[in-house]
Amino acid sequence: MTTDLVIGMAGAGGDGVIAAGEALMTAAARSGYRAMMTKSYGPQIRGGESSFHLRIATGEIFNAGTMLDIAVALNWDDFLRFGAELPVGGRTTVVHDGAEGAALPLEGVSPADAVAAPIAEMARTSAGTEKAKNTVVLGLLAGWLGLSADSLLAGVRKRFARKSPEVLAGNERAFAAGLAFAQAHPLRTDRRLCETAPPPSPRWLVDGNEMCAAAALVAGCEFFGGYPITPSSEIMHFLGREIWRHGGTVLQAEDEIAGIGAVIGASFAGRKAMTATSGPGMSLKSEMLGLATIAEVPLVCVNVQRGGPSTGLPTKSEQSDLFQAAFSAHGDAVRPVLAPISVADTCRITIEAFNIAEQFQTPVILLSDADIAQRKEVIDPIDPRAFTIVDRRLPNERELEHYARFQITESGVSPISYPGLEGGNFLASGIEHNERGAPTASGEVHAQMNEKRIRKLAPLKARRDLFSIEGDRDAPIGLVSWGSVAGVASEATAVARREGIQMKLLVPRLLYPISEEVYEDFFASVRAGLVIEQSHQGQLFRIIRMFVDVPRGLESLARSGSNPITVHDVLDRVRQMVVAFQRQRVPQEEPTLG
Amino acid sequence: MAYTPQDYKSELKPIWCPGCGDYGVVQAIYRALATIGRPPHEIAFVSGIGCSSRIPGYTTAYGFNSVHGRALPIAQGIKIARPELLVLVAGGDGDGFSIGGGHVAHAIRRNVDLTYIVMDNQVYGLTKGQLSPTSPRGFRTVSSPEGSLEDPVNPLMYVLGYGGRFVAQGTPADLSGLTQLVVEGLRYPGFAFINVQSPCVTYGSPDAQLKAHKSSMKNLASLGHDEGNRLRAMELAAEYGRSLYTGIFYRDPEPPPAYEALVAERRRALTDPGASRERVLEKFALR
Ligand SMILES: Cc1ncc(C[n+]2csc(CCOP(=O)(O)OP(=O)(O)O)c2C)c(N)n1
Ligand code: SF4
Ligand SMILES: [Mg+2]
């Protein structure tokens, strides 16, 4: 029996691979398991091969896992196209359709075992069509994994409820055939999931983009303007369905510039507003983000990071837009950059993004990434009442008497009016302006205004709740990681500590401005460590070093997107650090001159 | 309460060159606003960047002097967010038909109720005299010392061609005519476009100054033009650069509902009074 299992499956377009993955995940979630699923598609626009990678466990899951425990290949050609997404190793059980022969076309790998199951034949004889292959696989996995057959079958029935009774009956027989095959050909017992208690209340099944959109509504978002781009479009799709019910509006603009332009307009008009984009779209938004900074217009700009530069790898995750988020504005612009680490975390961090935008009257960049945005997770219910919702500070009657929109206050935050409010009219501008909004070229005013706009963000750096630290407080080894990769670092930390290695992990949700104090405190005990992230340059590693004196042994563990960083990779580097420590402790013998 | 033009004049002193056509345009705007009579705090005035785009600063209203070429998207966001506001947009020929040209087509087809005033001086004033998208072929500037090799954009045809439903042209040489056009534009319930031949005394062509306008301008109404005739409007608009017609080229006699009215209708239909933002997340629960 096992507490943690990774299953991958691939097939041709029309094989219903993704539907099978979703059915498995739903059944697992209902029985009380945690799960995380990523999907991958071939390059065809529609109808090509597809695959899922699904991790199911009895306890909490921090990342999607890598190496498969069970690999299901409906046919080898399609399976092998997903080499990077569906890694097969020496511990993998390979399930394939016997019709293609017994030989496994897996170069250089000898899997733990292989089962040739006549999947297509079972589908044909039981349902009269190969379309039922995915249902056969559900039967197989129900039998092998010990997942509730009732629950899976209920899912199958729901899916085919609107089809003809024959189709439904055929799929029921296909499921039964798979189940019977599995019972007749049991797998090794460690492929069977330990039982788990059903959750006290139903768990949630959601992906990162949906969560971001829903959380925006919780935060009070009333306007969304954007332009379609992978992998962020689902945020607009979700809001296009939902925001109207709450009295809001979605605008699909003519380009990303107009999208954020309309958001600036709506926010200037007093509404909480958001835009979302990726890659090239983010580049187009740069100038407007600068305008929002100088005109002090609150807004949230979501960047679901993908591989770049330019079109890059549109469907693959990367964390290579941190430099851009922090530094793409011309002029002395500082704007908060936040990043969630998981689907559940996306809820809190999106609400924080709105709160920070409104409180400090600034654009906030929310750096999600394709991994978080596109993966589905089973999560515990979130109580929205746990969040405070912050609104912008309107001018009071006294302030409206001689209203100065950009008044230099102690906090740097000035009262903000909105069109329609009598006495609150002012000129917002991208040109430098004085406290009353009048354009100016005065060096003195410019310096004061820069100082004010940057000073107002200072309280953010003291927000320790925008950082999490796990592990041993005074550990000599310290990891730092962010975004979707933080889940890998988190699991590696837990494994290393079980091995007796003293270490800790810092995960910032506030990426910029850099909180010197938080990093300095964390690094105080650290002699060696890693900053772990998915980019070629190691962008967080470099930004931290711009602002913080880091321990000499701090290194970067970074690689380009679509080259997953695994728990294994982290552990390897950590173990090397431990060995290096031990060597340093052994007094070296003086070389003798002979 | 009645408003006077003075009520819309802000404390800021214009930095325009003496004699710049934009002085006349801002006067026409003050007068038109007084005629409409909306209180200044219910007006939003958005512009891009350029000499002409300084104009919201000189007007008492909620102003937004934004970035080059992007006034229209911002203005649409404002109007959609608060349809009760009166929203004006203004800028230069470069702002509207070069860098921001892509937004014009979409503002037209979206038909948000905005009044868009372009101060067309056929040159880049603020950046000191380069070619503009409306400069005539052969026009010599610092960036085209040997003369331009391109045909100009015809703003009137551009807007009519994309289906514009209110298209007019004026000049500060006829201030009362221009004022009336702004009033009509503001009253038109949808996207209204007014091209103003607003001379640049410093970098503009000598043939495009107020004095020349005075002698060459021809009023469309006095020519008996039927402003409900789109095809005839296009014929007249094609004369841009050759004849200076002033007045309304085209006004849709049966304006469809503006975008923000449709948005409001959809909102009314879809807003669920029982919907609670707190409960949005519950959608994700497995049932
Ligand atoms: C993105 C960007 N590019 C270039 C400029 C420089 N620029 C400012 S105004 C302007 C053109 C002004 O011409 P026009 O729009 O016709 O206005 P005018 O000054 O003639 O009224 C240019 C090129 C800028 N501000 N922003
Ligand atoms: S440069 Fe031309 S457009 Fe600009 S203020 Fe002077 S006259 Fe007017
Ligand atoms: Mg110009």
Side-chain angles (χ1 to χ4, degrees):
Chain A
M1 301 285 258
T2 180
T3 55
D4 193 338
L5 201 63
V6 180
I7 307 154
M9 173 173 170
D15 279 349
V17 171
I18 303 292
E22 283 177 351
L24 276 174
M25 192 175 192
T26 308
R30 274 189 217 287
S31 310
Y33 296 99
R34 313 284 181 149
M36 193 180 282
M37 180 169 83
T38 57
K39 312 167 216 176
S40 299
Y41 301 89
Q44 299 87 336
I45 302 296
R46 238 203 142 98
E49 65 276 8
S50 59
S51 72
F52 72 76
H53 179 286
L54 171 64
R55 183 174 184 184
I56 303 177
T58 52
E60 236 188 300
I61 298 180
F62 300 102
N63 60 74
T66 38
M67 199 59 80
L68 301 182
D69 297 307
I70 300 180
V72 182
L74 291 182
N75 72 74
W76 282 116
D77 279 353
D78 286 325
F79 187 89
L80 295 173
R81 286 199 184 102
F82 295 102
E85 288 86 359
L86 303 177
V88 173
R91 296 194 341 248
T92 309
T93 294
V94 173
V95 180
H96 60 113
D97 196 313
E100 288 188 291
L104 304 181
L106 297 164
E107 234 168 283
V109 187
S110 40
D113 34 32
V115 181
I119 299 171
E121 191 191 310
M122 282 192 272
R124 276 194 310 272
T125 48
S126 60
T129 167
E130 287 198 9
K131 276 194 190 152
K133 280 194 293 192
N134 59 348
T135 313
V136 172
V137 172
L138 289 181
L140 287 172
L141 292 173
W144 283 328
L145 271 52
L147 280 177
S148 156
D150 287 348
S151 176
L152 272 166
L153 201 52
V156 171
R157 291 200 179 109
K158 211 165 141 189
R159 238 183 91 219
F160 294 103
R162 266 183 271 135
K163 296 276 166 74
S164 71
E166 295 85 75
V167 172
L168 175 59
N171 274 280
E172 285 176 349
R173 286 194 299 274
F175 185 84
L179 190 61
F181 184 94
Q183 279 156 355
H185 305 83
L187 296 187
R188 302 169 15 190
T189 53
D190 65 356
R191 297 307 186 225
R192 211 172 170 79
L193 282 162
C194 292
E195 281 200 23
T196 179
S201 59
R203 291 229 168 88
W204 294 1
L205 188 61
V206 49
D207 68 37
N209 274 346
E210 290 172 336
M211 181 58 95
C212 177
L217 290 176
V218 174
C221 178
E222 290 179 281
F223 184 86
F224 178 92
Y227 189 78
I229 188 164
T230 304
S232 75
S233 299
E234 294 84 5
I235 295 174
M236 176 159 63
H237 302 171
F238 184 98
L239 289 172
R241 295 190 301 271
E242 293 295 323
I243 203 169
W244 298 96
R245 301 181 54 224
H246 303 279
T249 310
V250 163
L251 177 74
Q252 179 177 329
E254 56 269 30
D255 58 33
E256 284 85 350
I257 301 174
I260 190 171
V263 162
I264 288 177
S267 179
F268 172 73
R271 312 288 186 199
K272 289 189 184 179
M274 172 167 100
T275 186
T277 189
S278 298
M282 194 61 192
S283 296
L284 286 182
K285 290 186 191 292
S286 291
E287 190 191 15
M288 285 294 204
L289 284 166
L291 174 64
T293 292
I294 195 168
E296 306 196 46
V297 178
L299 67 87
V300 175
C301 177
V302 183
N303 175 4
V304 181
Q305 296 168 96
R306 63 188 226 182
S310 191
T311 302
L313 280 72
T315 60
K316 305 292 181 194
S317 198
E318 201 165 74
Q319 297 177 297
S320 50
D321 297 349
L322 180 58
F323 284 172
Q324 179 195 43
F327 304 128
S328 72
H330 59 277
D332 282 307
V334 176
R335 59 195 170 209
V337 180
L338 300 179
I341 62 161
S342 66
V343 171
D345 201 40
T346 300
C347 184
R348 175 172 75 106
I349 299 306
T350 304
I351 294 172
E352 277 298 351
F354 273 94
N355 285 349
I356 291 169
E358 296 291 321
Q359 180 177 353
F360 298 104
Q361 300 171 21
T362 175
V364 174
I365 294 177
L366 183 62
L367 276 183
S368 177
D369 59 49
D371 268 353
I372 295 175
Q374 300 290 332
R375 82 184 180 208
K376 265 203 159 43
E377 284 181 27
V378 173
I379 62 168
D380 283 323
I382 297 171
D383 182 359
R385 287 166 306 186
F387 305 111
T388 334
I389 305 297
V390 177
D391 293 314
R392 58 187 75 171
R393 155 90 157 72
L394 299 179
N396 57 36
E397 258 173 56
R398 193 180 42 76
E399 286 161 340
L400 283 175
E401 277 167 27
H402 298 282
Y403 184 51
R405 163 66 188 101
F406 302 101
Q407 189 190 347
I408 297 181
T409 59
E410 203 179 308
S411 67
V413 176
S414 333
I416 178 170
S417 63
Y418 58 86
L421 184 65
E422 202 172 342
N425 57 284
F426 67 100
L427 179 70
S429 64
I431 197 167
E432 188 59 279
H433 37 254
N434 66 17
E435 290 181 274
R436 296 181 62 84
T440 179
S442 146
E444 194 187 340
V445 175
H446 178 47
Q448 283 170 353
M449 285 294 167
N450 265 337
E451 196 274 336
K452 161 209 197 293
R453 288 188 292 261
I454 292 173
R455 172 163 50 88
K456 71 180 178 182
L457 300 173
L460 272 180
K461 296 189 182 187
R463 288 277 309 268
R464 299 239 169 197
D465 60 322
L466 295 175
F467 298 81
S468 59
I469 296 178
E470 51 204 79
D472 307 298
R473 233 189 59 170
D474 299 317
I477 296 182
L479 308 183
V480 181
S481 190
W482 67 285
S484 59
V485 176
V488 173
S490 194
E491 189 172 333
T493 305
V495 175
R497 293 182 66 225
R498 282 203 293 276
E499 287 178 11
I501 298 174
Q502 290 232 331
M503 63 185 270
K504 60 180 177 179
L505 166 68
L506 171 68
V507 179
R509 309 304 197 281
L510 175 69
L511 276 293
Y512 199 78
I514 288 287
S515 172
E516 291 88 348
E517 222 178 80
V518 168
Y519 287 97
E520 275 159 16
D521 288 357
F522 178 79
F523 287 138
S525 68
V526 172
R527 287 166 48 212
L530 295 169
V531 181
I532 306 163
E533 55 194 318
Q534 193 88 59
S535 66
H536 181 77
Q537 298 177 89
Q539 299 189 354
L540 179 60
F541 177 66
R542 289 171 193 277
I543 292 188
I544 293 172
R545 292 191 313 168
M546 268 178 79
F547 295 91
V548 181
D549 288 331
V550 302
R552 278 198 28 208
L554 189 73
E555 297 167 9
S556 168
L557 169 51
R559 62 181 67 139
S560 296
S562 203
N563 296 281
I565 296 173
T566 66
V567 172
H568 226 76
D569 298 331
V570 178
L571 286 171
D572 271 359
R573 292 280 289 267
V574 166
R575 290 185 191 120
Q576 284 167 20
M577 285 174 177
V578 174
V579 172
F581 282 166
Q582 285 162 352
R583 281 223 190 89
Q584 282 164 17
R585 251 179 252 130
V586 180
Q588 297 285 312
E589 271 180 47
E590 289 286 328
T592 45
L593 293 171
Chain B
M1 175 177 155
Y3 289 90
T4 65
Q6 204 59 24
D7 292 324
Y8 300 94
K9 186 174 183 306
S10 82
E11 307 151 13
L12 295 183
K13 196 174 155 302
I15 56 163
W16 291 318
C17 310
C20 174
D22 297 350
Y23 283 103
V25 181
V26 78
Q27 286 302 329
I29 290 173
Y30 299 153
R31 292 180 193 182
L33 288 174
T35 307
I36 298 286
R38 290 285 297 270
H41 68 269
E42 293 176 7
I43 300 167
F45 195 174
V46 189
S47 68
I49 292 289
C51 295
S52 42
S53 287
R54 287 278 184 151
I55 205 162
Y58 307 140
T59 311
T60 303
Y62 275 88
F64 204 143
N65 183 180
S66 72
V67 289
H68 197 29
R70 313 299 168 195
L72 282 172
I74 295 175
Q76 291 172 71
I78 295 174
K79 183 70 181 177
I80 295 167
R82 285 197 191 272
E84 68 276 15
L85 299 173
L86 183 70
V87 185
L88 274 96
V89 192
D93 41 323
D95 196 77
F97 289 96
S98 193
I99 191 164
H103 299 303
V104 177
H106 300 278
I108 295 167
R109 71 179 180 90
R110 213 169 274 133
N111 192 34
V112 176
D113 182 9
L114 309 171
T115 302
Y116 182 34
I117 298 167
V118 168
M119 280 153 268
D120 178 9
N121 53 12
Q122 295 95 44
V123 77
Y124 280 9
L126 189 74
T127 45
K128 304 200 185 302
Q130 300 85 354
L131 271 188
S132 111
T134 55
S135 303
R137 185 180 270 274
F139 190 51
R140 289 176 194 268
T141 69
V142 282
S143 64
S144 60
E146 306 299 329
S148 118
L149 297 170
E150 296 153 356
D151 278 335
V153 164
N154 177 335
L156 302 166
M157 282 296 265
Y158 191 110
V159 176
L160 281 167
Y162 276 112
R165 297 168 188 279
F166 183 103
V167 180
Q169 181 163 256
T171 158
D174 170 15
L175 199 56
S176 64
L178 180 58
T179 303
Q180 196 51 37
L181 289 179
V182 178
V183 169
E184 296 301 326
L186 289 170
R187 283 189 178 143
Y188 180 78
F191 182 79
F193 172 64
I194 304 167
N195 198 60
V196 183
Q197 295 287 340
S198 178
C200 171
V201 291
T202 308
Y203 305 107
S205 153
D207 326 331
Q209 300 302 321
L210 286 183
K211 221 170 144 186
H213 287 180
K214 277 211 167 87
S215 57
S216 65
M217 63 192 182
K218 283 176 269 188
N219 185 267
L220 289 168
S222 56
L223 294 174
H225 171 59
D226 166 11
E227 54 180 56
N229 186 339
R230 173 181 281 278
L231 287 179
R232 182 68 192 129
M234 288 179 113
E235 276 171 18
L236 292 163
E239 288 296 303
Y240 174 86
R242 290 189 292 273
S243 307
L244 176 54
Y245 291 121
T246 61
I248 297 173
F249 284 75
Y250 181 67
R251 168 160 47 186
D252 192 334
E254 287 169 44
Y259 183 86
E260 70 281 1
L262 298 173
V263 165
E265 198 176 296
R266 179 163 299 177
R267 244 189 237 143
R268 259 196 307 282
L270 298 181
T271 301
D272 174 356
S276 133
R277 286 176 179 265
E278 275 192 358
R279 304 193 59 179
V280 175
L281 298 171
E282 289 170 17
K283 281 191 93 61
F284 304 134
L286 276 170
R287 267 179 258 279

